[in-house]
Amino acid sequence: MNAAPALLGYAAGVGFLAPRLLLRSAWPHRAPALAVAVWHGLTVSFTIAVALAAYHLAAPTEHLHADLIAVLHSCGLTTATATTAAPDPTVADRLAITLPLSVVLLVLGCFVFEVLRGRRTRSRHREVLDMVGRRSPHLCATVLEHDRPAAYCLPGHQPRVVITAGALRLLSPGQLEAVLEHERSHIAGRHHLVMAATQAFARVFRRLPLARHGKEQTSVLLEMIADDRALRRRSREELATAMYEMAAAKAAPVGAFAVGGPSAVVRMRRVLAPQRRPHVALRGTVAAAAAVVPVIPLLFGCVPTLG
Amino acid sequence: MRRLGDLEAEIMDRLWRWQRPATVREVVDDINEERPLAYTTVMTVTNILYNKGWLLRTKQGRAWLYTPVRSREEYAAALMEDALGASEDRPVALAHFVQQMDPDEISALREALRTVGRRAES
C-alpha cells in the first residue's frame, strides 16, 4: 500500500489546520516555552511528512527499509545482511532517495545560512559598537551615546547587551534592571537560534500558514519568555512601566509603518495581569505531543506495509 | 591583558573627545599619564585604524595629523538604524526590547497600565 496520499493529507493538516488551532488556543501565551516547542515540533513533522511523501511518490512499491539498505549498498557500506538482501539500485530508487533528501537538506541548509548570516551581521555591528559604545562594568552592558531610548542585544558569540544614554536617563534603576534582564535572557536562552530555525523554514515554505504564523508567533513567544525571566528578578510594575516608557518615547511618526507593534500591547497586558500557568496535566500532554509529533509521519510510512 | 581592540577604542575615544586633529605623539603622551605604552605600539594601531577607514590623516611637517572620519554620534546613529531599523530580517541578528509603535498602540498601552493601576488601588 502506498502511503503518499495519507502523508500528504497529514502534511496539509499540519501545515494549514494546526496553526489555526494553535492561534485560537489561549494556553500558548500562558506557557510560551511549550508553545515554541510545539511550533517547532510541527515544523519538523511537516518537513518529514513532505520528504516521506516525495519518497513514496517516487518509489510507490518499495518500502523504506529495503531502500535504505540499497542506499547503504550503493555507498559501499555493505553489511552482511545488506549484501544478500539489497537489489541493485535502479534510477527510480535513486530518485526516491534524492527527492526526500533534498527536501530535508534544503531546510537544514537554509538554517545554516540563516545562522551564518546572523553571525556576520552581528559581528560587523559589534566591531563598530565596541569602538563607539562605552562598556559599563556596573550594568554589564554597552552604553551607546544616543538620545533615543532603546535597548537591544547581540546574542551568540561574544554577546553584548546595548542600552542607549537616552534610555538610561528615562528609566528608574528598577526599570533599567528589568530591561537589561529581559535582554540577558534572550542571550542566555540562545533565542537567535530558535529564530533562525523558523526563519529558515519560512524561507523554504514561504506561503504555508504554518511557516508564516510560526515565524510571527515564535518571535512574540520568545519576547514573552524573556519577560518571564525578567519578572523573576523584578516586579511586574517595573517591567510594564519600562515597556511603556520606552515605547512612548520613541513613537513612530503618524502614518509610519509600525513594526509588529501590537505584540507589545499583548505582552504588557500579560505582564500586568498575571495568569496562572496551564494545569500540569495540560502541560504534560502538550509537551508529549511536541515530542511525538515529529515521529508521526514515520508511522504513516511503515505501519501499512507491516500489517 | 588588554586586547588590540581595546587600544583601538582608547585611541578613537581620545580623538573624539578632543574634537581636533592630533598626532600619535599627543595620543601616546595622554595614554602614558595613566600607564606606560610604547610609541611604536600606538603608531601601529593608529595606522591600522587609518587602514580600516576610521581615521583621516594629513601631513603636518614630519608628522601625520589624524582625525576621525565621522563623529561618535554619527556612528551611534548608524548603529541604531542598523539595530532598530524597519527591516524584516532584523530579528535574526538583533533582538530589541520594544518595537516601534504608532500613537494608537501607545495609547492602548497607557490604557492597559491605567486599568491595572485602578484595579490595584480598589
Side-chain angles (χ1 to χ4, degrees):
Chain A
M1 193 185 131
N2 190 356
L7 279 165
L8 286 176
Y10 173 79
V14 170
F16 291 89
L17 294 180
R20 234 163 257 171
L21 264 173
L22 266 180
L23 284 178
R24 258 190 234 152
S25 328
W27 64 265
H29 288 183
R30 287 158 61 198
L34 260 187
V36 169
V38 169
W39 281 107
H40 278 249
L42 289 174
T43 305
V44 174
S45 190
F46 180 86
T47 311
I48 294 178
V50 168
L52 282 180
Y55 165 80
H56 280 281
L57 284 176
T61 51
E62 288 284 343
H63 187 246
L64 183 63
H65 298 160
D67 242 59
L68 272 180
I69 293 166
V71 165
L72 291 177
H73 183 70
S74 68
C75 295
L77 294 167
T78 46
T79 59
T81 50
T83 38
T84 51
D88 271 355
T90 61
V91 177
D93 284 344
R94 289 224 175 95
L95 193 67
I97 292 303
T98 324
L99 269 181
L101 257 187
S102 53
V103 172
V104 173
L105 287 182
L106 189 62
V107 175
L108 287 180
C110 273
F111 174 66
V112 172
F113 170 78
E114 291 293 344
V115 169
L116 292 181
R117 195 176 62 127
R119 185 179 296 174
R120 206 172 45 236
T121 316
R122 288 193 300 272
S123 89
R124 256 204 311 266
H125 190 96
R126 188 173 47 235
E127 202 178 309
V128 179
L129 181 72
D130 284 352
M131 203 79 94
V132 176
R134 290 192 185 85
R135 288 286 185 89
S136 164
H138 162 65
L139 296 173
C140 291
T142 306
V143 179
L144 197 56
E145 206 52 58
H146 199 279
D147 287 335
R148 190 171 139 190
Y152 63 92
C153 68
L154 299 180
H157 181 59
Q158 295 186 322
R160 302 274 186 277
V161 172
V162 185
I163 186 131
T164 61
L168 288 183
R169 279 193 291 273
L170 185 73
L171 301 175
S172 73
Q175 290 172 327
L176 179 64
E177 193 46 47
V179 171
L180 294 176
E181 195 57 32
H182 172 103
E183 297 301 333
R184 278 182 215 126
S185 76
H186 277 314
I187 293 171
R190 300 188 185 279
H191 291 173
H192 63 294
L193 293 179
V194 182
M195 244 2 255
T198 51
Q199 202 96 6
F201 185 71
R203 198 173 276 274
V204 179
F205 302 101
R206 194 162 307 174
R207 297 275 170 98
L208 190 74
L210 175 64
R212 248 180 328 121
H213 296 304
K215 196 170 111 181
E216 272 166 29
Q217 288 302 305
T218 304
S219 103
V220 177
L221 290 166
L222 290 176
E223 295 300 330
M224 291 178 175
I225 294 173
D227 287 343
D228 289 349
R229 286 278 296 249
L231 288 180
R232 286 192 205 163
R233 292 273 191 89
R234 287 287 146 187
S235 71
R236 297 183 171 276
E237 201 198 356
E238 278 165 333
L239 182 60
T241 49
M243 238 177 239
Y244 172 72
E245 297 282 2
M246 299 273 274
K250 61 168 185 185
V254 183
F257 178 64
V259 193
S263 85
V265 183
V266 177
R267 274 170 59 199
M268 189 152 131
R269 292 228 168 86
R270 188 177 165 275
V271 166
L272 285 172
Q275 288 172 315
R276 265 185 303 147
R277 296 169 75 195
H279 189 270
V280 73
L282 176 63
R283 287 212 309 275
T285 317
V286 171
V292 166
V293 81
V295 190
I296 293 174
L298 295 175
L299 300 179
F300 276 99
C302 297
V303 170
T305 38
L306 286 178
Chain B
M1 218 198 98
R2 280 166 201 273
R3 291 178 300 115
L4 185 67
D6 292 342
L7 184 52
E8 287 184 343
E10 262 183 285
I11 295 170
M12 288 307 293
D13 184 51
R14 283 177 169 77
L15 292 172
W16 273 322
R17 260 192 292 129
W18 295 341
Q19 295 187 325
R20 58 171 176 81
T23 60
V24 171
R25 173 48 62 195
E26 287 174 280
V27 176
V28 175
D29 288 346
D30 198 58
I31 292 176
N32 281 347
E33 282 179 20
E34 292 165 20
R35 67 178 203 279
L37 194 65
Y39 176 86
T40 47
T41 311
V42 179
M43 193 180 69
T44 309
V45 175
T46 308
N47 215 18
I48 291 173
L49 284 170
Y50 169 74
N51 286 324
K52 278 189 183 172
W54 286 88
L55 296 175
L56 296 171
R57 65 182 183 190
T58 47
K59 195 108 192 181
Q60 192 195 50
R62 283 170 54 210
W64 289 106
L65 276 175
Y66 291 89
T67 345
V69 171
R70 292 201 273 168
S71 69
R72 192 195 275 268
E73 290 70 27
E74 282 172 318
Y75 280 113
L79 281 178
M80 289 289 284
E81 179 52 37
D82 189 27
L84 314 179
S87 163
E88 220 203 287
D89 288 343
R90 216 65 75 175
V92 172
L94 324 145
H96 56 98
F97 183 60
V98 274
Q99 284 157 323
Q100 207 163 26
M101 288 191 274
D102 66 32
D104 286 349
E105 285 159 350
I106 287 162
S107 57
L109 278 185
R110 194 182 307 131
E111 193 51 44
L113 262 185
R114 203 177 295 147
T115 328
V116 170
R118 225 179 285 139
R119 216 182 299 150
E121 280 165 29
S122 63

